[in-house]
Amino acid sequence: MSSAFTILPSSHARAHDTFPGADSLASELSAVIRGEVRFDAASRALYATDASNYRHIPIGLVIPRDEADVIATVAVCRKHDAPILTRGAGTSLAGQACNAAVVLDFSKYMNAIGEVDLANNTMRVQPGAILDRVREKAELHNLTFAPDPATHSRCTLGGMIGNNSCGVHALMGGKTVDNIVALDLLLYDGTHITVGPTTEAEIAAHIAGGGRTGRIYAELNRIRDTYSEYVLTKFPRIPRRVSGFNLDELLPGSDFNVARALVGSEGTCAIILSATLQLVRSPQFRTLVGVGFEDIFIAADFVPQLLTHPLIGLEGVDGLLLEALRRKQKSLSSLELLPPGEGFLLCEFGADSQASSDALAAAFAQFVTTLATNVSPRIYTGAEAKRVWHIRESALGATAFVPGKGTGWEGWEDAAVDPAQLGSYLRAIKALMDEFGYQSPMYGHFGQGCVHMRHNFDLETAPGILKFREFMDRACDIALAHGGSISGEHGDGQARGALLPKMFGPELMQAFRDFKRAWDPDNKLNPNKLIDAHEPHEDLRLGADYNPWKPATHFAFAEDNGSLASAALRCVGVGACRKTDAGTMCPSFMATGEELHSTRGRAHLLWELMQGEVLPNQWRNEQVKESLDLCLACKACKSECPVSVDMATYKAEFLSHHYEGRLRPLAHYAFGRIDVWARIASHFPTLVNAINAAPGISQLAKSLLHIHPNRTLPKFARAFSRTHEKASHSGIDSSSRPERSAVERPPHLPSSGSAQNVFLWADTFNNYFHPNTMQAAHEVLTSAGFAVQLPTKHLCCGRPLYDFGLLDTAKQYLLKVLDALAPQLAAGTPIVVLEPSCASVFRDEICNLLPNDPRAAKLCDQTLLLSEFLVKYAPNYTPPQLSGDIIVHGHCHHRATMSMDDEMTLLRATGANVTLLDSGCCGMAGPFGFEQDKYEVSQTLGERVLLPAVRAASSGTIIVSDGFSCSEQITQNTAARPLHLAEVLAIKKP
């Protein structure tokens, strides 16, 4: 396949370019603003890319606190002739949120949300306001901001205005452009101007007033008069035309809405200081109907007929997307909710009562069955509908990285056509994909003809890149032949900016240039996006010269070609780790609001480290270490991140090399080898606890180990394994028994019989600190009819070692465990682990550290939490009947590596009123919460949900927390004494 295109420089060829006078620029900015000025290597690396294929190393970063900071920043940048890029959550998919410029990040401070003006149903917001927070405030009045892209939990209103975002419910209320009343703007030359709808008299008055404002309006008026006919004939008349500038908002007969004309300009014309939003009525009751078709093409064919019904959302999902989710083991139970088929339409109705909404859905479902014999509808309400919507919202991340298939890249990502043309367009694109050997799921806003895709482009070789560029050109031809737009939601940026001349022609391209120059004549605001754009195959994050550092690693990274660089490249920037309202990922970002402390930020830094261009010193880089220091290793990213970034593993790998050949801090040895010290202390726990609590000794220990003064050291106890052995009258010190199995059957159970064997793992935390939990678990398992085996020697999974990157020692621990458990592994004996973090070592880390040891895979398969074991192996087990309330806090590793479902099943079977908190990470995370410099973050996380919920609970409420660290966070901050599930199940009612 020949190509008419040539290879252009990638970002690596320009990575060492620096802005002349950057140090002086940074110094002057620091002197005049209250916000933060960061021109260091790590900050530049963090903001070098967005969610696109592109990479531009910025000049530096400014995080303004207020409008005065923005004005001062622009003035200093203007003095130095420095370009500016404004940015929100950085989730843009077309490259418009990365540039070789001074980046202004509005998300941290400039995120205020005004009160709802009920007289006009409007709301004023700052550019960093998060969409979900805006919608929550509007919903207090049964109103909403209609556009809601899948990134609604973290995308900012400034970014939505820049991209002209749409989302699911644009079918109900239009695109962002349709919901903007006014914009308060700052121009690069310092002009402060507010724009919105403008009457002819106001236009004339502005022009007559002269000055900068007069010249802008005169030029806009000229553009309207000169190019109106071209706009009328060349702009596609479809619901989702996002490409180009919105010159149609200036047409004769319109209200000459200058604010709306600027929506979708991607920060190339002006800086948004605030925006006035138009709110619409929000249907308070909704019903979802899923419709299954033979394939996605047939589903698309029926869209026009379905649109005859009053839908507020109509989304398409194809079978390849579901396959991607299955490969990633995500949303598996939710996938079962979909009707039969390989192509699906999710059709939502809304009304002022549930009965009305359900009636609309029922009539629609009946109508659907008349369309064809093999069409299957299914109606959802409440929790089921939320789960099905989550499948659709997971699409971008699910398709960005698929195990066994690799990365799906944006590029030809969101073209749109008239819904009547949708089936034909999809078939034509599929034929082109087949010709080029590309694959991609097809999903998106089918009700408005907008389709999202992510293709398996080869962006690392010259032939692959040229093939990608030719595909883009051919795909553009197909979209235009169907009367469509090359961008239907995510903007043009660099991905599609160079294709705009094909869509609009030379006259309108000149009109766009004139529009841009009216606002930004010096081309200093996000240059080379939209207008005079760089080519789609230029400035790639990868490129033909991509050659990352590939050092030897402890972990296998088998799904990532054995490369930490490839593992970090999983992160394509969708920013799910930047949410702050729910879930667990990413706790440190929730506490600090810093990109540096998000999963995405850390992944980008590690990827940049592997490039060796911006970040120096490889494993010894202190800024990368600083970023990882606040990672709580909660592992939530492995399950909640759409591409399963595993930052806990990456952190352990980095720290193992960072300290290679160097003396570590004392705390690493004290906390990392806590099993050793706990075992020693368990021989005389009362004495050790008294020494630890002694004022002078306690202060000295905390000082040496950098423990915060407010923390209390956990109290040691006599080991359960030892006391149980004595209770069993063995009379033998298990540590001195040579040539014996690591387990011993309690003498009161027969060596043969019908009782099934189960091995109860004596983890360090429950064995040496909370032996009551071990005792309770033993009682529960025995009463359930199982023969309980226990360790006869000290074993430890080594969980704390990972926090400090002590991976050589961790391997030794694991090999010792595998040797000791050889009989159980051979016999297939279930191994019950009470501490979730220890269970996650056996379910996760062990196969990554010891990939070639078949015993590791067996241990992974045989390891179960107590709840999992009872549900799987004791289906007739009946928990004790309890009354009152139970509040459950799930350990991060429990949620991430296993599931809370079995735990909740058992607790609800007690008859109590059980509530599972959406509390995220407790903030303790092993030694993390004890450390002096982590204490504030730890407390902030604890106070998000968990600690207030515990304090608010009634006196008789049972608090369930299986994690040792979580229990410590609760006991050190409240009067409550949480119980492990085992202790709850062992409660004996009179």
Side-chain angles (χ1 to χ4, degrees), residues 413-473:
E413 196 275 327
D414 75 331
V417 298
D418 188 293
Q421 295 286 323
L422 189 56
S424 174
Y425 166 71
L426 292 185
R427 289 179 176 90
I429 283 292
K430 178 62 166 62
L432 183 68
M433 289 162 53
D434 290 343
E435 178 185 341
F436 277 71
Y438 293 146
Q439 288 185 333
S440 172
M442 299 176 177
Y443 62 95
H445 314 296
F446 278 33
Q448 293 194 313
C450 180
V451 183
H452 298 311
M453 303 182 191
R454 293 189 77 93
H455 296 90
N456 54 324
F457 299 131
D458 168 12
L459 301 180
E460 296 185 44
T461 69
I465 292 168
L466 293 177
K467 182 179 174 182
F468 152 71
R469 179 63 181 88
E470 184 175 351
F471 175 85
M472 293 284 287
D473 204 57

Coordinates of all heavy atoms in Angstrom, one line a residue, residues 413-473:
E413 N -11.9 9.0 15.5 CA -12.4 8.7 16.8 C -13.9 9.0 17.0 O -14.6 8.4 17.8 CB -11.5 9.4 17.9 CG -11.7 8.9 19.3 CD -12.8 9.5 20.0 OE1 -13.1 10.7 19.7 OE2 -13.5 8.9 20.8
D414 N -14.4 10.1 16.4 CA -15.8 10.5 16.7 C -16.4 11.2 15.6 O -17.1 12.2 15.8 CB -15.8 11.3 18.0 CG -15.3 12.7 17.8 OD1 -14.5 13.0 17.0 OD2 -15.8 13.6 18.6
A415 N -16.3 10.8 14.4 CA -17.0 11.4 13.3 C -18.5 11.2 13.5 O -19.0 10.3 14.2 CB -16.6 10.8 11.9
A416 N -19.3 12.1 12.8 CA -20.8 12.1 13.0 C -21.4 12.2 11.6 O -20.9 13.0 10.8 CB -21.2 13.1 13.9
V417 N -22.6 11.6 11.4 CA -23.4 11.7 10.2 C -24.8 11.9 10.7 O -25.2 11.8 11.8 CB -23.2 10.5 9.3 CG1 -21.8 10.3 8.9 CG2 -23.7 9.2 10.0
D418 N -25.7 12.2 9.7 CA -27.1 12.2 10.0 C -27.5 10.8 10.4 O -27.1 9.8 9.8 CB -27.9 12.6 8.7 CG -29.3 12.8 9.0 OD1 -30.0 11.8 9.3 OD2 -29.8 14.0 8.9
P419 N -28.3 10.6 11.5 CA -28.7 9.3 11.9 C -29.3 8.4 10.8 O -29.2 7.2 10.8 CB -29.8 9.6 13.0 CG -29.4 10.9 13.5 CD -28.8 11.7 12.4
A420 N -29.9 9.1 9.8 CA -30.5 8.3 8.6 C -29.4 7.7 7.8 O -29.6 6.7 7.1 CB -31.3 9.2 7.8
Q421 N -28.2 8.2 7.9 CA -27.0 7.7 7.1 C -26.1 6.7 8.0 O -25.1 6.2 7.5 CB -26.2 8.8 6.6 CG -26.8 9.8 5.7 CD -27.0 9.1 4.3 OE1 -26.1 8.4 3.9 NE2 -28.1 9.4 3.6
L422 N -26.5 6.5 9.2 CA -25.6 5.8 10.1 C -25.2 4.4 9.7 O -24.1 4.0 9.7 CB -26.2 5.8 11.5 CG -25.3 5.3 12.7 CD1 -24.0 6.2 12.7 CD2 -26.1 5.4 14.0
G423 N -26.2 3.6 9.3 CA -25.9 2.2 8.9 C -25.0 2.2 7.7 O -24.0 1.4 7.7
S424 N -25.3 3.0 6.7 CA -24.4 3.0 5.5 C -23.0 3.5 5.9 O -22.0 2.9 5.4 CB -25.0 4.0 4.5 OG -24.2 4.1 3.4
Y425 N -22.9 4.5 6.7 CA -21.6 5.0 7.1 C -20.8 3.9 7.9 O -19.6 3.7 7.6 CB -21.7 6.2 8.0 CG -20.5 6.6 8.8 CD1 -19.4 7.2 8.1 CD2 -20.3 6.4 10.1 CE1 -18.2 7.5 8.7 CE2 -19.2 6.7 10.8 CZ -18.1 7.3 10.1 OH -16.9 7.6 10.8
L426 N -21.4 3.2 8.8 CA -20.7 2.2 9.6 C -20.2 1.1 8.7 O -19.1 0.6 8.8 CB -21.6 1.6 10.7 CG -21.9 2.6 11.8 CD1 -22.7 1.9 12.9 CD2 -20.7 3.2 12.4
R427 N -21.0 0.7 7.7 CA -20.6 -0.4 6.8 C -19.4 0.0 5.9 O -18.5 -0.7 5.7 CB -21.8 -0.8 5.9 CG -22.8 -1.6 6.7 CD -24.0 -2.0 5.8 NE -25.0 -2.8 6.5 CZ -26.0 -2.3 7.2 NH1 -26.2 -1.0 7.2 NH2 -26.8 -3.2 7.8
A428 N -19.4 1.3 5.5 CA -18.3 1.8 4.7 C -17.0 1.9 5.5 O -16.0 1.5 5.0 CB -18.7 3.2 4.1
I429 N -17.1 2.4 6.7 CA -16.0 2.5 7.6 C -15.4 1.1 7.9 O -14.2 0.8 7.9 CB -16.3 3.2 8.8 CG1 -16.3 4.7 8.5 CG2 -15.3 3.0 9.9 CD1 -15.0 5.4 8.2
K430 N -16.3 0.1 8.1 CA -15.9 -1.2 8.4 C -15.2 -1.8 7.2 O -14.1 -2.5 7.4 CB -17.1 -2.1 8.8 CG -16.8 -3.6 9.0 CD -15.8 -3.7 10.3 CE -15.8 -5.1 10.8 NZ -15.2 -6.1 9.8
A431 N -15.6 -1.6 6.0 CA -15.0 -2.1 4.8 C -13.6 -1.5 4.7 O -12.6 -2.2 4.4 CB -15.8 -1.7 3.6
L432 N -13.4 -0.2 5.0 CA -12.1 0.5 5.0 C -11.2 -0.1 6.1 O -10.0 -0.4 5.8 CB -12.3 2.0 5.2 CG -11.0 2.8 5.1 CD1 -10.5 2.8 3.7 CD2 -11.2 4.2 5.6
M433 N -11.7 -0.4 7.3 CA -11.0 -1.0 8.3 C -10.5 -2.4 7.9 O -9.3 -2.7 8.1 CB -11.8 -1.1 9.6 CG -12.1 0.2 10.3 SD -13.5 0.2 11.5 CE -13.0 -1.2 12.5
D434 N -11.3 -3.1 7.3 CA -10.9 -4.5 6.8 C -9.8 -4.3 5.8 O -8.8 -5.1 5.8 CB -12.1 -5.2 6.2 CG -13.1 -5.6 7.2 OD1 -12.8 -5.6 8.4 OD2 -14.3 -5.9 6.8
E435 N -9.9 -3.4 4.9 CA -8.9 -3.2 3.9 C -7.5 -2.8 4.5 O -6.5 -3.3 4.0 CB -9.3 -2.0 2.9 CG -8.3 -1.7 1.8 CD -8.7 -0.5 1.0 OE1 -9.9 -0.1 1.0 OE2 -7.8 0.1 0.4
F436 N -7.5 -2.1 5.6 CA -6.3 -1.7 6.2 C -5.9 -2.6 7.3 O -4.8 -2.4 7.9 CB -6.5 -0.2 6.8 CG -6.2 0.9 5.8 CD1 -7.2 1.1 4.8 CD2 -5.1 1.7 5.9 CE1 -7.0 2.1 3.9 CE2 -4.9 2.7 4.9 CZ -5.8 2.9 3.9
G437 N -6.7 -3.6 7.6 CA -6.3 -4.5 8.7 C -6.5 -4.0 10.1 O -5.8 -4.4 11.0
Y438 N -7.4 -3.0 10.2 CA -7.7 -2.4 11.5 C -8.9 -3.0 12.2 O -9.8 -3.5 11.5 CB -7.8 -0.9 11.4 CG -6.6 -0.2 11.0 CD1 -6.7 1.0 10.2 CD2 -5.3 -0.5 11.4 CE1 -5.6 1.7 9.8 CE2 -4.2 0.2 11.1 CZ -4.3 1.3 10.3 OH -3.2 2.0 9.9
Q439 N -9.0 -3.0 13.5 CA -10.2 -3.4 14.2 C -10.5 -2.3 15.2 O -9.7 -1.6 15.7 CB -9.9 -4.7 15.0 CG -9.9 -5.9 14.1 CD -9.7 -7.2 15.0 OE1 -9.2 -7.1 16.1 NE2 -10.2 -8.3 14.4
S440 N -11.8 -2.1 15.5 CA -12.3 -1.2 16.5 C -13.7 -1.5 16.9 O -14.5 -1.7 15.9 CB -12.1 0.2 16.1 OG -12.8 1.1 17.0
P441 N -14.1 -1.5 18.1 CA -15.5 -1.5 18.5 C -16.1 -0.2 17.9 O -15.4 0.8 17.7 CB -15.5 -1.5 20.0 CG -14.1 -2.0 20.4 CD -13.2 -1.5 19.3
M442 N -17.4 -0.2 17.8 CA -18.2 1.0 17.3 C -19.2 1.2 18.4 O -20.0 0.4 18.7 CB -18.9 0.7 16.0 CG -17.9 0.5 14.9 SD -18.8 0.1 13.3 CE -17.4 -0.1 12.2
Y443 N -19.2 2.4 19.0 CA -20.1 2.7 20.1 C -20.3 4.2 20.1 O -19.6 5.0 19.4 CB -19.6 2.3 21.4 CG -18.3 2.9 21.8 CD1 -18.2 4.0 22.6 CD2 -17.0 2.4 21.4 CE1 -17.0 4.6 23.0 CE2 -15.8 3.0 21.7 CZ -15.8 4.1 22.5 OH -14.7 4.7 22.9
G444 N -21.3 4.7 20.8 CA -21.4 6.2 20.9 C -22.9 6.6 20.9 O -23.8 5.9 21.2
H445 N -23.0 7.9 20.4 CA -24.3 8.6 20.5 C -25.0 8.4 19.2 O -25.2 9.3 18.4 CB -24.0 10.0 20.8 CG -23.0 10.3 21.9 ND1 -23.2 9.9 23.2 CD2 -21.7 10.8 21.8 CE1 -22.1 10.2 23.9 NE2 -21.2 10.7 23.1
F446 N -25.5 7.2 19.1 CA -26.2 6.8 17.8 C -27.4 7.6 17.5 O -27.8 7.8 16.4 CB -26.5 5.3 17.8 CG -25.4 4.4 17.5 CD1 -24.1 4.7 17.8 CD2 -25.6 3.2 16.8 CE1 -23.0 3.9 17.5 CE2 -24.6 2.4 16.5 CZ -23.3 2.7 16.8
G447 N -28.1 8.1 18.6 CA -29.3 8.9 18.4 C -29.0 10.2 17.7 O -29.9 10.8 17.1
Q448 N -27.7 10.6 17.7 CA -27.3 11.8 16.9 C -26.2 11.5 15.9 O -25.6 12.4 15.4 CB -26.8 12.9 17.9 CG -27.9 13.5 18.8 CD -27.5 14.7 19.5 OE1 -26.4 14.8 20.1 NE2 -28.4 15.7 19.5
G449 N -26.1 10.2 15.6 CA -25.2 9.8 14.5 C -23.7 10.0 14.8 O -22.9 9.9 13.8
C450 N -23.3 10.0 16.0 CA -21.9 10.2 16.4 C -21.4 8.9 16.9 O -21.9 8.3 17.8 CB -21.8 11.3 17.5 SG -20.1 11.5 18.1
V451 N -20.3 8.4 16.3 CA -19.7 7.1 16.6 C -18.3 7.2 17.0 O -17.5 7.9 16.4 CB -19.8 6.2 15.3 CG1 -19.2 4.8 15.6 CG2 -21.2 6.2 14.7
H452 N -18.0 6.6 18.1 CA -16.6 6.5 18.7 C -15.9 5.2 18.3 O -16.5 4.2 18.2 CB -16.6 6.6 20.2 CG -17.2 7.9 20.7 ND1 -16.8 9.1 20.2 CD2 -18.2 8.2 21.7 CE1 -17.5 10.1 20.8 NE2 -18.3 9.5 21.7
M453 N -14.6 5.3 18.0 CA -13.8 4.2 17.7 C -12.4 4.3 18.3 O -12.0 5.5 18.4 CB -13.7 4.0 16.2 CG -15.0 3.9 15.4 SD -14.8 3.6 13.7 CE -16.5 3.9 13.1
R454 N -11.7 3.2 18.5 CA -10.3 3.2 18.8 C -9.7 2.1 18.0 O -10.0 0.9 18.3 CB -10.1 3.1 20.3 CG -10.6 4.3 21.1 CD -10.1 4.2 22.6 NE -8.7 4.5 22.7 CZ -8.3 5.8 23.0 NH1 -9.1 6.8 23.1 NH2 -7.0 6.0 23.2
H455 N -8.7 2.4 17.2 CA -8.2 1.5 16.2 C -6.8 1.0 16.7 O -6.1 1.7 17.4 CB -8.0 2.1 14.8 CG -9.4 2.4 14.2 ND1 -10.0 3.6 14.4 CD2 -10.2 1.6 13.4 CE1 -11.1 3.6 13.7 NE2 -11.3 2.4 13.1
N456 N -6.4 -0.2 16.2 CA -5.1 -0.8 16.5 C -4.1 -0.3 15.6 O -3.4 -1.0 14.9 CB -5.2 -2.3 16.5 CG -5.7 -2.8 15.2 OD1 -6.6 -2.3 14.6 ND2 -5.2 -4.0 14.8
F457 N -3.9 1.1 15.5 CA -2.9 1.7 14.6 C -1.5 1.3 15.1 O -1.3 1.2 16.3 CB -3.0 3.2 14.7 CG -4.3 3.8 14.2 CD1 -5.0 4.7 14.9 CD2 -4.9 3.4 13.0 CE1 -6.2 5.3 14.5 CE2 -6.1 3.9 12.5 CZ -6.8 4.9 13.3
D458 N -0.6 1.1 14.1 CA 0.8 1.0 14.4 C 1.4 2.4 14.4 O 1.6 2.9 13.3 CB 1.4 0.1 13.4 CG 3.0 0.1 13.5 OD1 3.5 0.6 14.5 OD2 3.6 -0.4 12.5
L459 N 1.7 2.9 15.5 CA 2.3 4.3 15.6 C 3.7 4.3 16.0 O 4.3 5.3 16.5 CB 1.5 5.1 16.6 CG 0.0 5.3 16.3 CD1 -0.7 6.1 17.4 CD2 -0.2 5.9 14.9
E460 N 4.4 3.1 15.8 CA 5.8 3.0 16.2 C 6.7 2.7 15.0 O 8.0 2.6 15.2 CB 5.9 1.9 17.2 CG 5.2 2.2 18.5 CD 5.5 1.1 19.6 OE1 6.6 0.7 19.8 OE2 4.5 0.7 20.2
T461 N 6.2 2.5 13.8 CA 7.1 2.2 12.7 C 6.7 3.2 11.6 O 5.5 3.6 11.5 CB 6.9 0.8 12.1 OG1 5.7 0.6 11.6 CG2 7.2 -0.2 13.2
A462 N 7.6 3.5 10.7 CA 7.4 4.5 9.6 C 6.2 4.0 8.7 O 5.3 4.7 8.4 CB 8.6 4.7 8.8
P463 N 6.3 2.7 8.3 CA 5.2 2.2 7.4 C 3.8 2.3 8.1 O 2.8 2.6 7.5 CB 5.6 0.8 7.1 CG 7.0 0.7 7.2 CD 7.3 1.7 8.4
G464 N 3.8 1.9 9.4 CA 2.6 1.9 10.2 C 2.0 3.3 10.3 O 0.8 3.5 10.3
I465 N 2.9 4.3 10.6 CA 2.4 5.7 10.7 C 1.9 6.2 9.4 O 0.9 6.9 9.4 CB 3.6 6.5 11.3 CG1 3.9 6.1 12.7 CG2 3.2 8.0 11.2 CD1 5.2 6.7 13.2
L466 N 2.5 5.9 8.3 CA 2.0 6.4 7.0 C 0.7 5.7 6.7 O -0.2 6.3 6.1 CB 3.1 6.1 5.9 CG 4.4 6.9 6.0 CD1 5.4 6.5 5.0 CD2 4.1 8.4 6.0
K467 N 0.6 4.5 7.0 CA -0.7 3.8 6.8 C -1.8 4.4 7.6 O -2.9 4.6 7.1 CB -0.5 2.3 7.2 CG -1.7 1.4 7.0 CD -1.3 0.0 7.5 CE -2.5 -0.9 7.4 NZ -2.2 -2.3 7.9
F468 N -1.5 4.8 8.9 CA -2.5 5.5 9.7 C -2.9 6.8 9.1 O -4.1 7.1 9.1 CB -1.8 5.7 11.1 CG -2.3 6.9 11.9 CD1 -3.6 6.9 12.4 CD2 -1.5 8.0 12.1 CE1 -4.1 8.0 13.1 CE2 -2.0 9.1 12.8 CZ -3.2 9.1 13.3
R469 N -1.9 7.5 8.6 CA -2.3 8.8 8.0 C -3.2 8.7 6.7 O -4.1 9.4 6.5 CB -1.0 9.6 7.6 CG -1.2 10.9 6.9 CD -1.9 11.9 7.9 NE -2.2 13.2 7.3 CZ -3.3 13.5 6.6 NH1 -4.2 12.5 6.4 NH2 -3.5 14.7 6.1
E470 N -2.9 7.6 5.9 CA -3.7 7.4 4.7 C -5.1 7.0 5.1 O -6.1 7.4 4.5 CB -3.0 6.4 3.8 CG -3.8 6.2 2.5 CD -3.1 5.2 1.6 OE1 -1.9 4.9 1.8 OE2 -3.7 4.9 0.6
F471 N -5.2 6.1 6.2 CA -6.5 5.7 6.7 C -7.3 6.9 7.1 O -8.5 7.0 6.8 CB -6.4 4.8 7.8 CG -7.7 4.3 8.5 CD1 -8.4 3.3 7.9 CD2 -8.2 5.0 9.6 CE1 -9.6 2.9 8.5 CE2 -9.4 4.7 10.1 CZ -10.1 3.6 9.6
M472 N -6.7 7.9 7.8 CA -7.4 9.1 8.2 C -8.0 9.8 7.0 O -9.1 10.3 7.0 CB -6.5 10.0 9.0 CG -6.0 9.4 10.4 SD -7.3 9.5 11.6 CE -7.3 11.3 12.0
D473 N -7.2 9.9 6.0 CA -7.6 10.7 4.8 C -8.8 9.9 4.1 O -9.8 10.6 3.7 CB -6.4 10.8 3.8 CG -6.6 11.9 2.9 OD1 -6.7 13.1 3.4 OD2 -6.6 11.7 1.7

